[in-house]
Amino acid sequence: LLAYKAGYQSAAKRTRVALMSSANLDVFVSHFTTQANEWIKEGTRTYVPPFDQYCQEILNPNSDFYSFDPEWIFFLERSEDILGRILEDSVAFVNEEAIKSAIEARIRSYTDIILQSQEGTNAQISVMNFSEPANSPLSMADKGEVLGQAAVVLMANKALAANLADAANIQIVDFA
């Protein structure tokens, strides 16, 4: 019983970090935890919701996410997962205003979830901005295309920054 109590007290002192993403984070989690433990020294407990379930965890006040009570939340979404078909078929849009409107709607849904997580916790939140996918159907020509993937990602990052500009304890991190 004393050993259990000591272990519990030790675990309670650890920094609690939640990693939220639609992607599989299995490889990333072990690397992240190792690096965090080296940096923090007290140890880190990491929470990763079941695959592609982080939105449901945030929307459910009785979820494991809220029971974990994270001190830090990292949103690690990829542009492909948030923008979906908009990113894949960006040149199919009629004009820049139409694609901008579609992007803003997707980003608004994403930032609503981020803000919801903030309401239910006292956590510091870091949101990864979007980067261009590794492969574009337009290849090198994408960089100069008005409605290409590079332009879409830039619009998405501007919308992300605008939607979270007034939020306290939320930082956008440039991983690009």
Side-chain angles (χ1 to χ4, degrees), residues 10 66 76 81 93 96 108 110 118 121-122 124 132-133 147 152-154:
S10 175
Y66 290 111
L76 307 169
D81 294 328
F93 279 80
E96 190 173 342
R108 193 169 21 269
Y110 178 47
Q118 184 184 42
T121 68
N122 291 318
Q124 293 287 323
E132 295 175 38
L147 297 178
V152 169
V153 169
L154 182 61

Side-chain angles (χ1 to χ4, degrees), residues 31 48 67 81 96 120 164:
H31 179 71
V48 179
S67 296
D81 294 328
E96 190 173 342
L164 297 176

Side-chain angles (χ1 to χ4, degrees), residues 11-14 17-18 21 23 28 40 56 65 80 82 97 106 112-113 119 127 129 131 148 164 166 171-172:
K13 291 180 184 175
R14 292 182 177 179
V17 178
S21 178
F28 178 75
I40 295 171
Q56 291 82 343
F65 167 71
E80 300 93 323
I82 296 299
E97 199 54 42
R106 289 287 185 102
D112 284 350
I113 289 291
E119 289 176 18
V127 180
N129 71 343
S131 59
L164 297 176
D166 296 330
Q171 305 83 29
I172 297 176

Side-chain angles (χ1 to χ4, degrees), residues 79 83 103 107 130 151-161:
S79 55
L83 300 173
I103 290 167
I107 298 300
F130 303 111
V152 169
V153 169
L154 182 61
M155 285 184 232
N157 283 330
K158 286 181 181 178
L160 182 68

Side-chain angles (χ1 to χ4, degrees), residues 4 6 16 26 32 42 48 52 65 86 92-93 150-151 164 171 176:
Y4 177 76
R16 297 175 313 281
D26 291 347
F32 175 87
E42 292 180 8
V48 179
D52 202 24
F65 167 71
I86 297 170
F93 279 80
L164 297 176
Q171 305 83 29

